[in-house]
Amino acid sequence: MKCVSCSLTTNVKKQNYLCQHCGEICCYNCGLKTFNLCPTCKEPRSKKVPKDNLLKLLEKNPYHPNRSWIYYSAADDKSLDNKTLFKLYQKASTIPGAMDYIGYAYYKGFPETGGVDYVKARYWLTMAAENNISNSFFELAKIYDNGLGVPKDPFRASTLLFAGGTLGNKKCRQEFENRARTLKGFKLK
């Protein structure tokens, strides 16, 4: 993502960099952070983004360049039901966090997905893992470990657990350590 004011590439992980008026992204690293104004529309910026304002913005301009981030931001609302949440994440499917949610929904077989689909789950979780979303590594490891939609591959599952553990996922680290303890007395010839 490039900041609209300073053109620096920013690693925007949270959606609270969206302007509530125009939907543009600003990194707050440029001089405009002291003025707290949006560089595009010059309206006062706020850290909290009202979800309704952003969705109304998309109704006016459905081809907004930051529409994925806007949908992802709207999906952050805790009061939404799973059906609405899944639709918003599908619209934001270019965002790694949304990929992880979609993959998890297919893995668990949420009613919105039409039931369990391990092929789609593996696809979306792999996409999220390629973007270093640590939660997706654990679910992918379970898919490979149990042979769900793929041949059983405990080595690949262990590799995924190790990678997720290095990214800070506690479940991955714990499961990898449990596997390492069981293999402690095992020696390769």
Side-chain angles (χ1 to χ4, degrees):
M1 274 281 147
K2 287 196 182 250
C3 174
V4 292
S5 59
C6 64
S7 298
L8 291 175
T9 302
T10 59
N11 186 8
V12 180
K13 289 188 177 179
K14 297 213 176 225
Q15 57 275 17
N16 42 350
Y17 293 98
L18 289 170
C19 174
Q20 63 184 356
H21 303 286
C22 67
E24 289 296 334
I25 293 177
C26 180
C27 69
Y28 283 109
N29 290 329
C30 52
L32 289 171
K33 72 179 177 182
T34 55
F35 302 114
N36 202 25
L37 295 175
C38 173
T40 305
C41 66
K42 307 297 186 229
E43 291 288 329
R45 300 278 315 248
S46 67
K47 291 280 187 178
K48 275 284 192 201
V49 180
K51 312 311 188 244
D52 295 339
N53 286 6
L54 292 173
L55 291 176
K56 287 176 187 171
L57 176 70
L58 282 178
E59 288 173 9
K60 293 177 193 171
N61 183 4
Y63 301 106
H64 194 283
N66 294 327
R67 65 184 168 274
S68 291
W69 280 102
I70 292 171
Y71 284 123
Y72 188 70
S73 175
D76 196 33
D77 189 357
K78 304 293 184 215
S79 64
L80 295 175
D81 62 337
N82 282 343
K83 188 175 185 177
T84 308
L85 196 62
F86 187 72
K87 284 181 182 178
L88 287 172
Y89 277 132
Q90 278 185 316
K91 290 178 181 179
S93 62
T94 59
I95 309 296
M99 294 173 192
D100 181 49
Y101 179 85
I102 294 169
Y104 184 75
Y106 280 117
Y107 177 77
K108 289 294 185 182
F110 288 3
E112 302 79 40
T113 64
V116 175
D117 189 343
Y118 294 121
V119 174
K120 287 182 181 178
R122 186 174 49 113
Y123 170 78
W124 285 107
L125 290 170
T126 301
M127 296 288 286
E130 287 173 357
N131 287 288
N132 293 333
I133 302 296
S134 64
N135 294 338
S136 59
F137 284 92
F138 186 73
E139 304 304 330
L140 268 176
K142 287 198 285 188
I143 287 174
Y144 281 103
D145 205 26
N146 297 322
L148 304 172
V150 293
K152 277 190 173 190
D153 191 351
F155 179 74
R156 183 152 190 185
S158 297
T159 306
L160 288 165
L161 290 171
F162 179 75
T166 58
L167 289 173
N169 187 301
K170 292 178 183 177
K171 286 195 249 177
C172 286
R173 180 173 290 146
Q174 185 178 13
E175 182 64 28
F176 184 77
E177 287 173 357
N178 290 343
R179 287 174 184 233
R181 270 190 229 107
T182 59
L183 296 175
K184 197 172 187 178
F186 182 73
K187 293 182 183 178
L188 292 173
K189 292 184 181 181

Short mmCIF file of all heavy atoms in Angstrom, two decimals, residues 37-63:
data_model
loop_
_atom_site.label_atom_id
_atom_site.label_comp_id
_atom_site.label_asym_id
_atom_site.label_seq_id
_atom_site.Cartn_x
_atom_site.Cartn_y
_atom_site.Cartn_z
N LEU A 37 -5.20 15.80 9.40
CA LEU A 37 -6.13 15.99 8.30
C LEU A 37 -5.89 14.94 7.23
O LEU A 37 -4.76 14.50 7.02
CB LEU A 37 -5.94 17.38 7.66
CG LEU A 37 -6.27 18.58 8.52
CD1 LEU A 37 -5.91 19.85 7.77
CD2 LEU A 37 -7.72 18.61 8.91
N CYS A 38 -6.94 14.54 6.56
CA CYS A 38 -6.80 13.63 5.43
C CYS A 38 -6.13 14.38 4.29
O CYS A 38 -6.53 15.50 3.97
CB CYS A 38 -8.17 13.11 5.00
SG CYS A 38 -8.12 12.13 3.49
N PRO A 39 -5.10 13.80 3.66
CA PRO A 39 -4.42 14.50 2.58
C PRO A 39 -5.27 14.68 1.32
O PRO A 39 -5.01 15.55 0.52
CB PRO A 39 -3.20 13.63 2.29
CG PRO A 39 -3.55 12.30 2.83
CD PRO A 39 -4.50 12.52 3.95
N THR A 40 -6.29 13.87 1.16
CA THR A 40 -7.11 13.94 -0.04
C THR A 40 -8.27 14.91 0.10
O THR A 40 -8.44 15.82 -0.71
CB THR A 40 -7.66 12.54 -0.40
OG1 THR A 40 -6.57 11.64 -0.50
CG2 THR A 40 -8.40 12.57 -1.71
N CYS A 41 -9.08 14.73 1.14
CA CYS A 41 -10.28 15.55 1.27
C CYS A 41 -10.14 16.68 2.30
O CYS A 41 -11.03 17.49 2.46
CB CYS A 41 -11.49 14.69 1.60
SG CYS A 41 -11.39 13.90 3.22
N LYS A 42 -9.00 16.73 3.02
CA LYS A 42 -8.69 17.76 4.01
C LYS A 42 -9.68 17.81 5.18
O LYS A 42 -9.81 18.81 5.86
CB LYS A 42 -8.62 19.15 3.36
CG LYS A 42 -7.69 19.26 2.19
CD LYS A 42 -6.26 18.99 2.58
CE LYS A 42 -5.35 19.25 1.38
NZ LYS A 42 -4.43 18.20 1.12
N GLU A 43 -10.40 16.72 5.40
CA GLU A 43 -11.31 16.63 6.54
C GLU A 43 -10.52 16.14 7.75
O GLU A 43 -9.51 15.45 7.62
CB GLU A 43 -12.44 15.64 6.24
CG GLU A 43 -13.41 16.10 5.20
CD GLU A 43 -14.31 17.23 5.69
OE1 GLU A 43 -14.61 17.28 6.89
OE2 GLU A 43 -14.69 18.05 4.85
N PRO A 44 -10.98 16.46 8.98
CA PRO A 44 -10.29 15.97 10.18
C PRO A 44 -10.30 14.44 10.23
O PRO A 44 -11.31 13.81 9.94
CB PRO A 44 -11.10 16.55 11.34
CG PRO A 44 -11.90 17.65 10.75
CD PRO A 44 -12.09 17.34 9.30
N ARG A 45 -9.15 13.87 10.57
CA ARG A 45 -9.03 12.42 10.64
C ARG A 45 -9.36 11.96 12.04
O ARG A 45 -9.13 12.65 13.01
CB ARG A 45 -7.58 12.00 10.32
CG ARG A 45 -7.07 12.40 8.99
CD ARG A 45 -7.49 11.44 7.90
NE ARG A 45 -7.31 10.09 8.31
CZ ARG A 45 -6.43 9.24 7.81
NH1 ARG A 45 -5.64 9.62 6.87
NH2 ARG A 45 -6.35 8.02 8.23
N SER A 46 -9.90 10.77 12.14
CA SER A 46 -10.11 10.18 13.46
C SER A 46 -9.62 8.75 13.40
O SER A 46 -9.68 8.10 12.36
CB SER A 46 -11.58 10.23 13.85
OG SER A 46 -12.34 9.40 13.02
N LYS A 47 -9.10 8.25 14.51
CA LYS A 47 -8.60 6.87 14.55
C LYS A 47 -9.74 5.87 14.43
O LYS A 47 -9.60 4.83 13.85
CB LYS A 47 -7.85 6.63 15.86
CG LYS A 47 -6.56 7.37 15.95
CD LYS A 47 -5.48 6.67 15.18
CE LYS A 47 -4.15 7.34 15.43
NZ LYS A 47 -3.08 6.70 14.77
N LYS A 48 -10.89 6.17 15.01
CA LYS A 48 -12.04 5.28 14.92
C LYS A 48 -12.78 5.55 13.63
O LYS A 48 -13.15 6.68 13.34
CB LYS A 48 -13.00 5.52 16.10
CG LYS A 48 -12.62 4.75 17.32
CD LYS A 48 -13.01 3.33 17.14
CE LYS A 48 -12.92 2.59 18.45
NZ LYS A 48 -12.81 1.20 18.28
N VAL A 49 -13.00 4.52 12.85
CA VAL A 49 -13.67 4.67 11.57
C VAL A 49 -15.10 4.16 11.69
O VAL A 49 -15.31 2.97 11.92
CB VAL A 49 -12.92 3.88 10.46
CG1 VAL A 49 -13.63 4.03 9.14
CG2 VAL A 49 -11.49 4.35 10.37
N PRO A 50 -16.11 5.03 11.55
CA PRO A 50 -17.49 4.53 11.57
C PRO A 50 -17.74 3.64 10.35
O PRO A 50 -17.54 4.06 9.22
CB PRO A 50 -18.34 5.80 11.50
CG PRO A 50 -17.42 6.93 11.79
CD PRO A 50 -16.05 6.47 11.45
N LYS A 51 -18.14 2.42 10.60
CA LYS A 51 -18.31 1.45 9.51
C LYS A 51 -19.40 1.86 8.52
O LYS A 51 -19.27 1.67 7.34
CB LYS A 51 -18.64 0.06 10.05
CG LYS A 51 -17.79 -0.48 11.18
CD LYS A 51 -16.34 -0.38 10.97
CE LYS A 51 -15.58 -1.12 12.04
NZ LYS A 51 -14.76 -0.37 12.87
N ASP A 52 -20.47 2.47 9.04
CA ASP A 52 -21.57 2.85 8.16
C ASP A 52 -21.15 3.90 7.14
O ASP A 52 -21.55 3.86 5.99
CB ASP A 52 -22.75 3.37 8.98
CG ASP A 52 -23.36 2.29 9.86
OD1 ASP A 52 -23.15 1.09 9.56
OD2 ASP A 52 -24.02 2.63 10.85
N ASN A 53 -20.30 4.86 7.58
CA ASN A 53 -19.84 5.89 6.65
C ASN A 53 -19.07 5.26 5.50
O ASN A 53 -19.21 5.66 4.34
CB ASN A 53 -18.94 6.89 7.36
CG ASN A 53 -19.70 7.82 8.26
OD1 ASN A 53 -20.90 7.66 8.45
ND2 ASN A 53 -19.01 8.78 8.83
N LEU A 54 -18.22 4.28 5.80
CA LEU A 54 -17.41 3.67 4.76
C LEU A 54 -18.25 2.85 3.78
O LEU A 54 -18.03 2.89 2.58
CB LEU A 54 -16.33 2.79 5.39
CG LEU A 54 -15.26 3.56 6.15
CD1 LEU A 54 -14.34 2.60 6.88
CD2 LEU A 54 -14.47 4.45 5.23
N LEU A 55 -19.24 2.12 4.30
CA LEU A 55 -20.09 1.34 3.40
C LEU A 55 -20.96 2.25 2.53
O LEU A 55 -21.21 1.94 1.36
CB LEU A 55 -20.95 0.37 4.19
CG LEU A 55 -20.16 -0.78 4.85
CD1 LEU A 55 -21.07 -1.64 5.71
CD2 LEU A 55 -19.46 -1.62 3.81
N LYS A 56 -21.38 3.40 3.08
CA LYS A 56 -22.12 4.38 2.27
C LYS A 56 -21.22 4.95 1.18
O LYS A 56 -21.67 5.22 0.07
CB LYS A 56 -22.67 5.49 3.15
CG LYS A 56 -23.84 5.06 4.00
CD LYS A 56 -24.29 6.16 4.92
CE LYS A 56 -25.34 5.63 5.89
NZ LYS A 56 -25.68 6.58 6.93
N LEU A 57 -19.96 5.13 1.50
CA LEU A 57 -18.99 5.61 0.51
C LEU A 57 -18.89 4.62 -0.66
O LEU A 57 -18.82 5.02 -1.82
CB LEU A 57 -17.62 5.79 1.17
CG LEU A 57 -16.47 6.19 0.28
CD1 LEU A 57 -16.66 7.63 -0.18
CD2 LEU A 57 -15.16 6.07 1.04
N LEU A 58 -18.92 3.33 -0.37
CA LEU A 58 -18.86 2.33 -1.43
C LEU A 58 -20.15 2.29 -2.25
O LEU A 58 -20.12 1.93 -3.43
CB LEU A 58 -18.59 0.94 -0.85
CG LEU A 58 -17.15 0.68 -0.46
CD1 LEU A 58 -17.01 -0.70 0.13
CD2 LEU A 58 -16.23 0.83 -1.64
N GLU A 59 -21.27 2.64 -1.64
CA GLU A 59 -22.51 2.71 -2.42
C GLU A 59 -22.42 3.82 -3.46
O GLU A 59 -22.89 3.67 -4.58
CB GLU A 59 -23.71 2.96 -1.49
CG GLU A 59 -24.08 1.77 -0.64
CD GLU A 59 -25.15 2.10 0.39
OE1 GLU A 59 -25.73 3.21 0.33
OE2 GLU A 59 -25.39 1.24 1.24
N LYS A 60 -21.76 4.93 -3.09
CA LYS A 60 -21.59 6.04 -4.02
C LYS A 60 -20.55 5.70 -5.10
O LYS A 60 -20.70 6.08 -6.25
CB LYS A 60 -21.14 7.30 -3.27
CG LYS A 60 -22.16 7.87 -2.34
CD LYS A 60 -21.57 9.07 -1.61
CE LYS A 60 -22.45 9.48 -0.45
NZ LYS A 60 -21.80 10.47 0.38
N ASN A 61 -19.48 5.04 -4.69
CA ASN A 61 -18.39 4.74 -5.61
C ASN A 61 -17.99 3.27 -5.46
O ASN A 61 -17.07 2.94 -4.72
CB ASN A 61 -17.19 5.65 -5.33
CG ASN A 61 -16.05 5.43 -6.29
OD1 ASN A 61 -16.16 4.66 -7.24
ND2 ASN A 61 -14.94 6.10 -6.05
N PRO A 62 -18.65 2.34 -6.17
CA PRO A 62 -18.36 0.92 -6.00
C PRO A 62 -16.97 0.52 -6.51
O PRO A 62 -16.49 -0.56 -6.21
CB PRO A 62 -19.46 0.22 -6.80
CG PRO A 62 -20.00 1.25 -7.71
CD PRO A 62 -19.75 2.58 -7.10
N TYR A 63 -16.30 1.38 -7.26
CA TYR A 63 -14.97 1.06 -7.79
C TYR A 63 -13.87 1.82 -7.06
O TYR A 63 -12.83 2.12 -7.61
CB TYR A 63 -14.92 1.37 -9.29
CG TYR A 63 -15.94 0.59 -10.06
CD1 TYR A 63 -17.09 1.19 -10.55
CD2 TYR A 63 -15.79 -0.78 -10.24
CE1 TYR A 63 -18.04 0.46 -11.22
CE2 TYR A 63 -16.75 -1.52 -10.91
CZ TYR A 63 -17.86 -0.89 -11.40
OH TYR A 63 -18.81 -1.62 -12.06
#
